[in-house]
C-alpha cells in the first residue's frame, strides 16, 4: 500500500520511466523481467552499493544523507519538484507523527468572502473545500448546496462524479493527474494524517482511473495552474488558479481563479459573476 511505503513506491515509479540506454548503459537482453532501470543498474551510477539502494527503497535507511538522495535524483533525472518530494519522503520515513484536525481560521474565511468577482476557495490538505465564495460555487460545484454543512472534496468530485467533472474540465485527465499530485504532496508532508490515507484508500477502491493514475505518482507543487473550464452558462474559459499557502495552518491554502486581462475569458468570468449576483439577489 503506497501510504505505508511512500519512498519505495516513488523511487520504483521513477525507475520504471527510464531505460538503460537513457543513462548510458547497454540495453542488454531483449526481454527484461522488470520494466525500466534495475536497482543494480541505478546503484553504481548513484555511487552506492546495490544493497544500500535496496534498503533505501524498502524504507530501511532512515539516516540517508541529502548527498545520496541528490545522487539518486540525478540518475533518475528528477525535476525540481520531484527532488523536493524525494527529500520530504525520506524525512517523513523517519517519523509518522499524528497531525491536528484541520480548522479554518475566521480570517481566511473573510479573505475568501472578500473576492466579489474572482472565484476563491479555501482548501485543505486533503482537497476539502473549507470555504468558497459564490463565484467559486457557480464554477466548481453548482450542484452542491452553497450553504450546506458539508462542502465537496475536489478530488472526490473529480473521480467519483465523472459525469459532472468531465463536463467541467476540457482536459479532465490533466486535472485528474494534478489532483493526485496534490495528494502526493500532502502525503509527503503529513504522513500521519489518517483522513488523508483513508481518502486515498477510498479512491483506490472506488475509481479505476484513480488507481491507474496513482501508480504513476505524478508530482507538482500545484502553486499556479492554467486550465480550461467549460461552463454551461458562459462557455469555455481559460483560468489560472493561484494557490496561496497558509504555512501556519498545516497544509491549508487559498486558491484564486483569474483570467488574463482583456481576454474573452475575462469577459466570460465577469458574466458569471453577474449571473451569480443576480441569482443571489
Amino acid at each position: 500500500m503506497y501510504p505505508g511505503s511512500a519512498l519505495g513506491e516513488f523511487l520504483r515509479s521513477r525507475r520504471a520511466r527510464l531505460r538503460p540506454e537513457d543513462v548510458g548503459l547497454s540495453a542488454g537482453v531483449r526481454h527484461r523481467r522488470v520494466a525500466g532501470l534495475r536497482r543494480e543498474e541505478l546503484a553504481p551510477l548513484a555511487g552506492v552499493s546495490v544493497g544500500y539502494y535496496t534498503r533505501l527503497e524498502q524504507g530501511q535507511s532512515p539516516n540517508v544523507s541529502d548527498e545520496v538522495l541528490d545522487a539518486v535524483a540525478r540518475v533518475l533525472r528528477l525535476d525540481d519538484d520531484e527532488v523536493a518530494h524525494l527529500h520530504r519522503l525520506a524525512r517523513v520515513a523517519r517519523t509518522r507523527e499524528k497531525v491536528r484536525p484541520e480548522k479554518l481560521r475566521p480570517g481566511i474565511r473573510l479573505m475568501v468572502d472578500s473576492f466579489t468577482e474572482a472565484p476563491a476557495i479555501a482548501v485543505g490538505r486533503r482537497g476539502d473545500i473549507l470555504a468558497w465564495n459564490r463565484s467559486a460555487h457557480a464554477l466548481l460545484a453548482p450542484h452542491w448546496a452553497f450553504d450546506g454543512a458539508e462542502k465537496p472534496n475536489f478530488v472526490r468530485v473529480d473521480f467519483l462524479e465523472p459525469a459532472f467533472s468531465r463536463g467541467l474540465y476540457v482536459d479532465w485527465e490533466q486535472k485528474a493527474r494534478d489532483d493526485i499530485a496534490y495528494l502526493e504532496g500532502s502525503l509527503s508532508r503529513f504522513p500521519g494524517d489518517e483522513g488523508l490515507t483513508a481518502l486515498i484508500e477510498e479512491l483506490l477502491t472506488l475509481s479505476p482511473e484513480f488507481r491507474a493514475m496513482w501508480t504513476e505518482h505524478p508530482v507538482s507543487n500545484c502553486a499556479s495552474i492554467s486550465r480550461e473550464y467549460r461552463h454551461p452558462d458562459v462557455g469555455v474559459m481559460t483560468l489560472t488558479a493561484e494557490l496561496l499557502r497558509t504555512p501556519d495552518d498545516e497544509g491549508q491554502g487559498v486558491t484564486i481563479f483569474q483570467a488574463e486581462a482583456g481576454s474573452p475569458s475575462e469577459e466570460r468570468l465577469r458574466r458569471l459573476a453577474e449571473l451569480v449576483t443576480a441569482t443571489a439577489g
Side-chain angles (χ1 to χ4, degrees):
M1 197 66 178
Y2 176 73
S5 56
L7 180 60
E9 286 291 336
F10 178 68
L11 288 171
R12 285 189 286 274
S13 74
R14 291 326 188 245
R15 277 200 293 116
R17 298 191 310 190
L18 295 176
R19 301 169 299 172
E21 50 266 41
D22 292 332
V23 294
L25 300 176
S26 170
V29 295
R30 182 175 179 82
H31 299 291
R32 298 167 63 88
R33 185 174 61 85
V34 179
L37 202 63
R38 294 170 173 165
R39 289 172 177 168
E40 58 266 29
E41 294 167 332
L42 185 153
L45 295 173
V48 298
S49 69
V50 176
Y52 183 88
Y53 180 77
T54 300
R55 291 192 295 275
L56 178 63
E57 280 200 0
Q58 293 173 344
Q60 298 174 9
S61 298
N63 297 316
V64 59
S65 68
D66 289 346
E67 289 76 16
V68 168
L69 292 174
D70 288 337
V72 170
R74 173 181 50 78
V75 176
L76 293 176
R77 299 185 176 184
L78 304 187
D79 62 27
D80 291 345
D81 288 339
E82 291 172 322
V83 172
H85 187 66
L86 174 62
H87 280 265
R88 286 196 300 268
L89 289 175
R91 287 196 299 271
V92 301
R94 303 166 192 165
T95 178
R96 292 181 61 86
E97 296 179 358
K98 287 192 175 183
V99 297
R100 294 178 298 176
E102 288 192 297
K103 184 177 181 181
L104 185 65
R105 286 206 322 262
I108 300 299
R109 188 179 301 275
L110 289 173
M111 181 191 302
V112 169
D113 291 340
S114 71
F115 290 92
T116 56
E117 289 193 359
I121 61 173
V123 61
R125 56 179 172 261
R126 303 167 193 160
D128 296 318
I129 295 178
L130 306 175
W132 52 5
N133 64 7
R134 291 193 177 274
S135 290
H137 169 255
L139 174 67
L140 300 175
H143 57 300
W144 282 67
F146 174 71
D147 292 320
E150 183 181 2
K151 293 181 172 56
N153 174 288
F154 69 77
V155 184
R156 190 179 279 114
V157 168
D158 290 346
F159 282 98
L160 301 186
E161 299 182 33
F164 171 77
S165 62
R166 287 181 181 271
L168 175 61
Y169 301 107
V170 174
D171 189 345
W172 179 88
E173 288 193 2
Q174 184 57 56
K175 176 57 166 65
R177 284 185 168 81
D178 291 340
D179 288 349
I180 293 177
Y182 188 91
L183 295 185
E184 284 272 359
S186 292
L187 188 62
S188 71
R189 292 190 294 271
F190 309 104
D193 188 326
E194 296 177 354
L196 176 61
T197 303
L199 172 64
I200 293 169
E201 291 175 343
E202 173 192 359
L203 293 168
L204 286 169
T205 300
L206 298 179
S207 172
E209 293 87 354
F210 183 91
R211 191 160 54 248
M213 292 182 184
W214 183 255
T215 62
E216 301 171 14
H217 303 303
V219 172
S220 170
N221 64 17
C222 302
S224 179
I225 298 177
S226 181
R227 72 175 88 256
E228 289 184 299
Y229 299 78
R230 188 188 295 109
H231 194 275
D233 295 324
V234 300
V236 175
M237 298 178 287
T238 300
L239 304 178
T240 298
E242 295 286 346
L243 175 61
L244 310 176
R245 295 281 185 185
T246 54
D248 58 334
D249 284 336
E250 297 190 349
Q252 294 180 7
V254 174
T255 300
I256 315 299
F257 300 82
Q258 303 173 90
E260 183 179 353
S263 67
S265 294
E266 183 186 42
E267 176 57 33
R268 290 167 187 163
L269 188 58
R270 184 177 298 113
R271 274 194 293 160
L272 179 62
E274 291 171 352
L275 287 173
V276 166
T277 300
T279 302

